């Protein structure tokens, strides 16, 4: 017996999904109309499969969605939406293995494949979602550098494993100046750690793999 929670406020889609799931009489389907109702159902059925249209629900952002999924670690989710941004897809897919992705305008086979995969505790990412992520990543890599020449040199130094103090000494600058440059680099690249700086430097061709340290 499978337990399913339909979290979709589009009536036609909800009806179609319920009909598809209910073909197996052993399955039980519950319905949630908002985040609070979804959480209450998950409290009772922690290992349920959630079919959610994120764009039609009252989650403030993907962080809130990830928090709920982490709270109910036994649950598995299929996100079924008309449109999801590349940033959202990357964040959700890379942050948690609980999420599968399909689109409402995809084929019936894609939805069936997702249901079948998740019922076997495997993740299903539709071909379209994969293409959206790959295309966005390629666009990012081809985008002209947003860093100044000085910032680019500091990125290269960070990737080579040099400390802020070492970089300051090499550039005849103060530690405070280099720290300010680091903050600006992190802000411009939308990153938070030196490890992410290394990945950026590798993708941008600023260093060879033999030149950096993790």
């Amino acid at each position: 017996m499978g337990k399913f929670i339909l979290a979709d406020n589009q009536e036609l889609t909800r009806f179609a999904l319920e009909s598809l799931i209910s073909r197996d009489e052993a399955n039980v389907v519950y319905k949630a109309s908002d985040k609070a109702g979804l959480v209450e159902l998950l409290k009772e059925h922690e290992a349920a499969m959630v079919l959610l249209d994120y764009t039609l629900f009252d989650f403030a952002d993907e962080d809130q969605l990830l928090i709920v999924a982490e709270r109910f670690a036994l649950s598995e989710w299929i996100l079924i939406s008309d449109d999801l941004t590349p940033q959202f897809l990357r964040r959700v897919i890379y942050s948690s293995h609980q999420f599968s992705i399909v689109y409402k305008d995809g084929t019936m086979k894609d939805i069936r494949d997702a249901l079948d995969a998740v019922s076997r505790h495997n993740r299903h990412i539709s071909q379209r979602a994969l293409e959206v992520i790959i295309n966005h990543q390629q666009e990012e890599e081809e985008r002209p550098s947003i860093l100044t020449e000085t910032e680019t040199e500091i990125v290269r130094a960070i990737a080579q494993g040099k400390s802020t103090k070492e970089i300051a000494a090499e550039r005849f600058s103060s530690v405070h100046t280099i720290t300010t440059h680091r903050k600006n680099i992190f802000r411009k690249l939308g990153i938070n750690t030196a490890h992410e700086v290394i990945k950026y430097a590798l993708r941008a061709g600023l260093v060879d793999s033999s030149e950096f340290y993790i």
Side-chain angles (χ1 to χ4, degrees):
M1 180 181 73
K3 294 183 178 180
F4 297 79
I5 300 175
L6 295 184
D8 191 317
N9 288 324
Q10 196 171 64
E11 187 174 1
L12 184 59
T13 305
R14 192 168 60 241
F15 175 79
L17 290 172
E18 184 174 10
S19 299
L20 184 62
I21 295 167
S22 297
R23 289 182 178 180
D24 184 340
E25 296 180 356
N27 291 335
V28 180
V29 179
Y30 305 94
K31 299 173 188 175
S33 58
D34 57 25
K35 178 169 64 69
L38 174 58
V39 169
E40 288 303 312
L41 283 171
L42 283 169
K43 288 179 181 177
E44 297 179 33
H45 314 287
E46 294 186 1
M49 185 190 302
V50 181
L51 287 82
L52 169 71
D53 187 335
Y54 171 81
T55 61
L56 295 180
F57 242 57
D58 58 337
F59 284 97
D61 51 33
E62 60 265 32
D63 286 331
Q64 210 172 69
L65 174 63
L66 289 167
I67 288 169
V68 172
E70 184 178 5
R71 178 180 175 187
F72 301 100
L74 297 178
S75 64
E76 296 182 275
W77 301 61
I78 300 178
L79 302 185
I80 306 177
S81 296
D82 286 320
D83 191 30
L84 295 168
T85 67
Q87 293 86 349
F88 174 87
L89 289 172
R90 289 175 63 175
R91 177 75 192 286
V92 170
I93 291 172
Y94 296 159
S95 297
S96 173
H97 286 280
Q98 290 172 262
F99 291 95
S100 294
I101 310 286
V102 294
Y103 287 88
K104 283 188 174 179
D105 60 357
T107 64
M108 183 63 73
K109 181 180 183 302
D110 204 19
I111 294 176
R112 286 198 183 101
D113 287 347
L115 289 168
D116 181 57
V118 176
S119 69
R120 291 182 283 106
H121 307 292
N122 294 322
R123 184 155 72 162
H124 177 87
I125 308 298
S126 72
Q127 183 63 32
R128 177 179 164 188
L130 290 173
E131 290 172 356
V132 167
I133 294 170
I134 292 169
N135 290 339
H136 184 257
Q137 185 169 330
Q138 290 175 340
E139 289 173 4
E140 282 189 333
E141 292 173 353
E142 294 169 0
R143 193 175 299 151
S145 176
I146 58 176
L147 302 180
T148 66
E149 184 176 344
T150 296
E151 289 167 344
T152 299
E153 291 173 359
I154 291 173
V155 165
R156 185 181 291 110
I158 293 171
Q160 291 170 340
K162 296 176 182 176
S163 68
T164 299
K165 188 175 181 180
E166 289 172 329
I167 297 171
E170 286 184 357
R171 299 188 62 81
F172 303 102
S173 299
S174 68
V175 170
H176 174 74
T177 297
I178 300 303
T179 299
T180 299
H181 280 308
R182 282 176 63 109
K183 289 179 180 178
N184 289 334
I185 290 166
F186 283 26
R187 175 180 55 79
K188 286 183 178 182
L189 298 180
I191 59 179
N192 299 290
T193 67
H195 185 70
E196 290 174 296
V197 172
I198 292 171
K199 291 196 291 184
Y200 169 81
L202 286 168
R203 289 198 305 267
L206 300 180
V207 293
D208 294 326
S209 58
S210 59
E211 292 184 84
F212 75 92
Y213 305 88
I214 298 179

